[in-house]
C-alpha cells in the first residue's frame, strides 16, 4: 500500500521532496533553499535514519529516483564515487535543486524500533586473533537497553580520550550482555594505540548504538557476503541469524579475504559455521601469500565466479570492507547479473584506527 501525505506548503518553499520507504510508505514535504533534506524532513516530522549529520557515517543515504539533488562534499563524504554516480546522496549534506523523489532502502517501520542507547560497558577480554586484529569482548550493564539487528554498528569512546570510533557487532542479540567487536589495528590511531599498549580487562568504555542500515534482508534467495578483513564482523552476526531462522534456509556464499596469511583470522570459526549451516559455502582468499600457501589467491571479489551464483537476479549481496573493495564488488556483482537494488554495502571509514 502506498501512503502519500502532503504537508502544508509554506511561503518559503522552493521544492518538494518525496521520500519512499521500502515498504511502499511515502511522505512528501517542502525543502527550503539552503536547507538540507534531512533538516527539512525533521522540521516536517518526517523521521529518517541518521547519525553524524556531517556526511561521514553514510547512515542517512538515499537513492534519488527523480529530480536534482545536490550534495555538498566540501567537508568530505563517505559516499564512494560509484555510489554518487548511481544516484546515491547523503540527506544530511544534500539540497533539492528541483522537486525530487528519493528511495530509502529500509521500511518505515524501522523508525518505530528503539533508537540508539548509551551505556558504559566493561572490557571482558581483548585478544589478538591476527597480526592486525583484536577481538574485543565488552560486557554491557544489566540495565542497558541496547537492541540491534545483526550487521549494525555501535560507536565506542576510546578510553582516556574524547574520540569515538564505529565498529560493526560480530555478535547477536542472543549473546547479550556480551558484545563482540573485531577491531583492525593500524600503525597509528587513538584506538590502535589503546589496543596495542593500554587495554586491560575491566576498562570502562562508553558505547552508543545501534546505528546503520546494514542488516539481513528478508529473502529466501541466495545471500552473497563479501568481507575484507574485519568486514567479516557483521557477516558473523547475520550468519547466526540465518542459522537460527525457522524454515528453509537460503544458500549463502561468504567470500572473505585478507592481504596476507598473518592477517587471516576466524578460520576455525568459519569451518564451524559451515558445519552448522549446510547451505553455507565459504571462500577464503589471500592477496599476497607467502611461499607454501595453497589456498585461493586474490581478493574476496575476484574469487567469485558465475559458478558460485545460484540465480543472480534474485540474489542479495552484503559487502563490508575498504572502499576500493566495495567499488570493485559492486561492479563485479552487477556484471554477474545482480540487481543493484539488492546490493547492500558498509565500508570502513577513514577514522577507523
Ligand atoms: S547522518 Fe551521517 S552521513 Fe548523514
Amino acid at each position: 500500500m502506498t501512503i502519500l501525505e502532503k504537508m502544508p506548503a509554506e511561503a518559503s518553499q522552493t521544492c518538494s521532496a518525496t521520500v519512499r520507504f521500502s515498504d511502499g510508505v511515502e511522505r512528501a514535504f517542502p525543502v527550503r533553499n539552503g536547507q538540507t533534506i534531512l533538516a527539512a524532513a525533521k522540521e516536517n516530522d518526517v523521521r529518517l535514519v541518521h547519525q553524524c549529520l556531517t556526511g561521514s557515517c553514510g547512515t542517512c543515504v538515499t537513492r534519488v529516483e527523480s529530480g536534482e539533488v545536490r550534495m555538498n562534499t566540501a567537508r568530505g563524504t563517505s559516499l564512494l564515487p560509484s555510489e554518487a554516480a548511481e544516484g546515491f546522496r547523503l540527506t544530511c549534506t544534500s539540497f533539492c535543486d528541483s522537486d525530487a523523489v528519493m528511495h530509502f532502502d529500509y521500511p518505515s517501520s524501522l523508525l518505530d524500533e528503539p533508537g540508539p542507547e548509551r551505556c558504559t560497558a566493561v572490557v571482558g577480554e581483548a585478544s589478538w586473533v591476527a597480526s592486525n586484529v583484536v577481538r574485543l569482548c565488552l560486557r554491557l550493564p544489566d540495565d542497558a537497553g541496547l537492541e540491534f539487528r545483526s550487521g549494525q554498528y555501535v560507536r565506542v569512546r576510546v578510553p582516556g580520550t574524547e574520540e569515538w570510533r564505529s565498529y560493526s557487532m560480530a555478535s547477536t542479540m542472543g549473546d547479550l550482555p556480551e558484545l563482540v567487536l573485531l577491531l583492525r589495528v593500524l600503525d597509528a590511531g587513538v584506538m590502535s594505540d589503546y589496543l596495542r599498549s593500554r587495554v586491560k580487562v575491566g576498562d570502562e568504555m562508553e558505547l552508543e548504538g545501534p546505528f546503520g542500515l546494514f542488516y539481513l534482508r528478508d529473502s529466501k534467495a541466495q545471500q552473497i557476503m563479501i568481507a575484507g578483513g574485519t568486514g567479516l564482523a557483521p557477516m558473523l552476526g547475520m550468519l547466526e541469524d540465518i542459522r537460527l531462522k525457522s524454515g528453509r534456509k537460503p544458500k549463502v556464499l561468504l567470500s572473505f579475504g585478507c592481504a596476507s596469511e598473518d592477517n587471516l583470522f576466524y578460520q576455525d570459526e568459519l569451518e564451524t559455521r559451515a558445519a552448522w549451516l549446510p547451505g553455507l559455502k565459504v571462500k577464503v582468499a589471500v592477496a599476497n601469500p607467502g611461499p607454501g600457501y595453497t589456498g585461493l589467491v586474490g581478493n574476496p571479489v575476484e574469487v567469485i565466479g558465475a559458478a558460485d551464483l545460484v540465480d543472480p537476479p534474485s540474489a542479495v549481496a552484503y559487502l563490508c570492507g575498504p572502499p576500493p573493495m566495495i567499488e570493485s564488488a559492486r561492479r563485479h556483482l552487477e556484471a554477474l547479473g545482480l540487481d543493484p537494488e539488492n546490493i547492500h554495502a558498509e565500508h570502513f571509514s577513514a577514522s577507523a584506527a
Side-chain angles (χ1 to χ4, degrees), residues 188-235:
V190 287
M191 182 58 97
S192 295
D193 291 345
Y194 166 72
L195 293 171
R196 246 194 312 268
S197 55
R198 305 199 311 278
V199 64
K200 61 182 187 311
V201 171
D203 280 358
E204 291 192 341
M205 200 175 260
E206 265 185 86
L207 175 151
E208 71 170 351
F211 299 107
L213 299 170
F214 195 68
Y215 59 86
L216 202 62
R217 268 48 181 190
D218 195 17
S219 169
K220 293 285 185 210
Q222 185 185 22
Q223 313 282 300
I224 299 167
M225 301 177 177
I226 304 181
T230 52
L232 182 65
M235 311 306 185

Side-chain angles (χ1 to χ4, degrees), residues 330-344:
R330 273 192 191 282
R331 280 196 303 271
H332 189 59
L333 292 177
E334 287 179 28
L336 286 172
L338 264 80
D339 182 342
E341 299 273 334
N342 289 340
I343 300 175
H344 309 280

Side-chain angles (χ1 to χ4, degrees), residues 25 43 85 105 110 116 135 142 260 268 281 286 334 341:
V25 171
E43 190 173 281
D105 187 26
L110 186 79
R135 177 179 187 270
D142 291 341
S260 61
D268 293 346
K281 176 178 177 181
V286 171
E334 287 179 28
E341 299 273 334

Side-chain angles (χ1 to χ4, degrees), residues 50-53 55-58 60 92:
H50 62 279
Q51 186 242 307
C52 70
L53 302 179
S56 60
C57 76
C60 64
C92 71

Side-chain angles (χ1 to χ4, degrees), residues 18-223:
T18 300
V19 296
R20 282 187 183 147
F21 299 97
S22 63
D23 53 2
V25 171
E26 289 190 7
R27 301 289 304 274
F29 53 90
V31 184
R32 294 194 305 275
N33 257 334
Q35 188 178 33
T36 66
I37 293 162
L38 188 62
K42 190 171 183 189
E43 190 173 281
N44 289 283
D45 295 326
V46 175
R47 289 180 297 157
L48 298 175
V49 174
H50 62 279
Q51 186 242 307
C52 70
L53 302 179
T54 61
S56 60
C57 76
T59 306
C60 64
V61 70
T62 185
R63 184 198 286 261
V64 179
E65 292 186 341
S66 66
E68 293 298 319
V69 175
R70 173 176 39 91
M71 191 162 60
N72 179 1
T73 56
R75 286 190 295 173
T77 176
S78 58
L79 274 193
L80 303 176
S82 62
E83 292 171 330
E86 285 185 22
F88 289 99
R89 297 288 184 272
L90 300 174
T91 56
C92 71
T93 55
S94 292
F95 308 85
C96 283
D97 284 344
S98 72
D99 291 352
V101 178
M102 289 159 278
H103 174 79
F104 288 80
D105 187 26
Y106 55 88
S108 58
S109 56
L110 186 79
L111 298 158
D112 297 326
E113 295 183 3
E117 291 278 336
R118 194 181 270 220
C119 67
T120 301
V122 174
V123 174
E125 183 194 329
S127 53
W128 289 83
V129 293
S131 62
N132 63 343
V133 179
V134 165
R135 177 179 187 270
L136 192 67
C137 296
L138 300 176
R139 186 166 183 88
L140 272 51
D142 291 341
D143 61 352
L146 181 71
E147 288 185 31
F148 63 93
R149 293 178 179 225
S150 297
Q152 288 188 296
Y153 69 90
V154 289
R155 300 175 71 232
V156 294
R157 188 158 74 86
V158 184
T161 78
E162 295 303 317
E163 299 284 333
W164 289 77
R165 295 290 182 266
S166 300
Y167 300 103
S168 300
M169 290 165 276
S171 51
T172 68
M173 279 292 292
D175 298 313
L176 290 177
E178 185 178 76
L179 195 74
V180 178
L181 308 175
L182 296 171
L183 285 62
R184 185 173 52 135
V185 182
L186 302 181
D187 291 341
V190 287
M191 182 58 97
S192 295
D193 291 345
Y194 166 72
L195 293 171
R196 246 194 312 268
S197 55
R198 305 199 311 278
V199 64
K200 61 182 187 311
V201 171
D203 280 358
E204 291 192 341
M205 200 175 260
E206 265 185 86
L207 175 151
E208 71 170 351
F211 299 107
L213 299 170
F214 195 68
Y215 59 86
L216 202 62
R217 268 48 181 190
D218 195 17
S219 169
K220 293 285 185 210
Q222 185 185 22
Q223 313 282 300

